[in-house]
Each structure stands twice: as C-alpha cells, then as structure tokens.
C-alpha cells in the first residue's frame, strides 16, 4: 500500500497493479475515483466474471461501491478445455463495461453491460454491437469529451487492434517473439500515434487504410531490422 501511494505521487500517466488482493485495493480505487492518477489505471485480480470482481473488491477487500464505479471495464480471461480436452487454452472470455448509475448491486440494477462474451463452439468472442451502441455510457462519455462520433471511436479501436494482430503475425512469420516484448511494442504503438497525429494535421482526419499501410511498412523495415540486429548482437536496444 505504501509503495502504491508513493507511485501515485509521481503522477505518471499509466499505473498497472498486479494481483490486487489486500489493502492496496482501497488506495488504488480512491486514486481512480478522485482522478489522482493520469490517463490509464489497470489492475489484475482473481475473478470469473465482472460481477465476481465487484463482489471480491467490495465485499472482500472493503472498497466502497462508489469507488468501484471508477472502473470502466472488467476484462476476464480463463483457461478453456475445448470439447473435453485435457489440454487448456487461455482465452479472453468476457469484456464488460461498468456503468455509473446504480447504487448497491450492479447485476440487479443493470450496472454491468456486456460488450463481448466467449463462444467456445466457435472459439471467438461475440460482440453485442446493437446493445452496446444503445446502452453504453462509456461511448457517450468518449463522444462528449473527445468530440468523436461512434464510428470514429470504433474505427480507432479496430485500427489499433489490427496493429496488435500484425505484431503477432510478424512474430510468428519470422519466428521472432521478441518483437512483442515491451520495448518494441511500445515503439510500435508510439510510431502509430505519431503517424496518426501527422496525418490528422496534414489532412484534418485519419485515413485508416493508408495509416496502417505506412505503419506496417515501418514495422517490416525499421522495427524488424532493429530487432534482428539486437538478436545478432550488432546494435544496442533502442
């Protein structure tokens, strides 16, 4: 808890707390609720659903419900045994928005909006687009504070998703898992953001196919070459 409070005073833009299980939960949620931290706060905790996460955080760890509502999304993963197999495969099984206008029990009062759930028969996530478009408070909040349309929000989310998938594809194709490590994935993300900002300045908006094409060219050239050089011992990590 003391270490977390020290980190909060540093005022950094991203805070990630792993294995939330004790008194640090209160400090974390207090900071989230009053905006004491920067842009992104994430934590990991054991739970099988968004509701079980609320139950653990509020009833077991003593975080007030008003503080828990600072959570925007609960994202749940779990090991899956397909068709009775003994082998387990980890999958993301649920993406749920935590809405803000409820008082005591988020499940009974409609405070949990499922965006996606896992279908084991198809080995994929089902996206409940119509319900999300109609009921999401998060989408409305982003529209209001960033001046974006819903289409623009989803275009950006999908585009960033494609960048993550491309890194995975490159790692598999070149047998280069190192390209997905933090140093390189951060460089890849920063390059995407810089390219998007330059395009926005130049033409007043984002043409996502062109942006992704240019970004992939940079990945295939500069970033891949840098990783290969480091692996060969020819260049220090950038």
């Amino acid at each position: 808890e003391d270490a977390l409070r020290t980190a909060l005073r540093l005022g950094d833009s991203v805070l990630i707390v792993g294995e939330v299980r004790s008194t640090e939960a209160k400090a974390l949620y207090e900071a989230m609720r009053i905006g004491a931290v920067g842009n992104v706060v994430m934590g990991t905790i054991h739970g099988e659903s968004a509701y079980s996460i609320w139950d653990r955080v509020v009833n077991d760890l003593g975080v007030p419900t008003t503080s828990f509502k600072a959570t925007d999304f609960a994202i749940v993963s779990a090991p899956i045994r397909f068709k009775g197999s003994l082998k387990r495969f980890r999958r993301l099984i649920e993406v749920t928005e935590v809405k803000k206008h409820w008082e005591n029990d988020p499940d009974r009062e409609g405070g949990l909006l499922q965006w996606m759930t896992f279908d084991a028969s198809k080995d994929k996530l089902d996206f409940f687009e119509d319900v999300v478009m109609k009921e999401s408070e998060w989408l409305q909040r982003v529209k209001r504070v960033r001046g974006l349309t819903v289409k623009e929000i989803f275009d950006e989310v999908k585009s960033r998703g494609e960048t993550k998938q491309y890194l995975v594809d490159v790692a598999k194709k070149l047998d280069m898992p190192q390209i997905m490590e933090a140093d390189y994935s951060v460089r890849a993300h920063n390059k995407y953001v810089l390219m998007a900002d330059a395009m926005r300045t130049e033409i007043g908006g984002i043409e996502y196919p062109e942006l992704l094409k240019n970004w992939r060219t940079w990945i295939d050239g500069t970033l891949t070459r840098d990783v290969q050089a480091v692996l060969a011992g020819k260049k220090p990590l950038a």
Side-chain angles (χ1 to χ4, degrees):
E1 182 179 359
D2 291 340
L4 177 56
R5 292 189 182 279
T6 299
L8 293 172
R9 285 194 290 270
L10 297 176
D12 213 342
S13 61
V14 177
L15 179 65
I16 302 175
V17 181
E19 294 291 327
V20 175
R21 62 177 64 194
S22 186
T23 55
E24 73 275 5
K26 289 185 178 181
L28 178 63
Y29 271 96
E30 286 170 9
M32 290 168 61
R33 187 169 64 87
I34 65 175
V37 294
N39 297 323
V40 178
V41 182
M42 293 183 285
T44 62
I45 188 170
H46 289 282
E48 61 184 18
S49 66
Y51 185 79
S52 72
I53 293 171
W54 167 80
D55 187 37
R56 173 142 172 73
V57 168
V58 173
N59 295 323
D60 294 344
L61 301 182
V63 173
T65 290
T66 52
S67 295
F68 178 80
K69 286 193 284 187
T71 305
D72 288 321
F73 286 92
I75 300 172
V76 183
S77 68
I80 303 295
R81 288 191 175 99
F82 291 98
K83 298 181 179 180
S85 170
L86 293 178
K87 190 173 182 180
R88 299 190 296 181
F89 300 85
R90 183 161 292 277
R91 293 291 188 269
L92 195 157
I93 63 170
E94 178 184 337
V95 177
T96 297
E97 176 184 344
V98 179
K99 300 168 76 173
K100 311 307 178 188
H101 298 96
W102 52 277
E103 297 298 329
N104 299 305
D105 188 306
D107 193 42
R108 294 177 183 174
E109 300 173 53
L112 300 176
L113 176 63
Q114 284 195 335
W115 281 47
M116 296 180 174
T117 58
F118 182 70
D119 185 339
S121 67
K122 297 182 290 186
D123 192 15
K124 64 174 292 188
L125 285 164
D126 289 329
F127 174 41
F128 307 119
E129 183 172 0
D130 291 342
V131 175
V132 168
M133 292 292 190
K134 181 180 179 181
E135 299 184 18
S136 173
E137 295 176 0
W138 180 85
L139 278 179
Q140 296 304 316
R141 190 163 64 251
V142 173
K143 283 175 59 180
R144 184 175 64 255
V145 301
R146 295 192 60 185
L148 299 172
T149 66
V150 171
K151 181 181 183 304
E152 288 171 332
I153 294 170
F154 276 103
D155 283 346
E156 178 65 22
V157 170
K158 290 175 182 177
S159 181
R160 294 195 183 203
E162 288 189 38
T163 67
K164 306 306 180 188
Q165 184 61 54
Y166 193 72
L167 283 182
V168 173
D169 294 341
V170 169
K172 290 180 178 179
K173 178 181 177 181
L174 301 180
D175 191 21
M176 187 191 292
Q178 294 85 355
I179 201 170
M180 294 191 296
E181 292 179 358
D183 294 290
Y184 298 113
S185 63
V186 168
R187 281 185 64 191
H189 172 74
N190 288 345
K191 187 65 175 180
Y192 172 89
V193 172
L194 289 172
M195 285 181 164
D197 192 56
M199 179 177 286
R200 192 178 293 109
T201 299
E202 182 178 352
I203 66 174
I206 302 295
E207 295 290 341
Y208 286 102
E210 184 68 18
L211 172 62
L212 288 169
K213 176 184 176 182
N214 294 338
W215 179 84
R216 290 186 184 113
T217 298
W218 180 83
I219 293 293
D220 293 340
T222 302
L223 190 63
T224 299
R225 185 172 59 247
D226 286 354
V227 177
Q228 290 171 333
V230 169
L231 294 176
K234 297 179 180 179
K235 180 180 178 181
L237 184 63

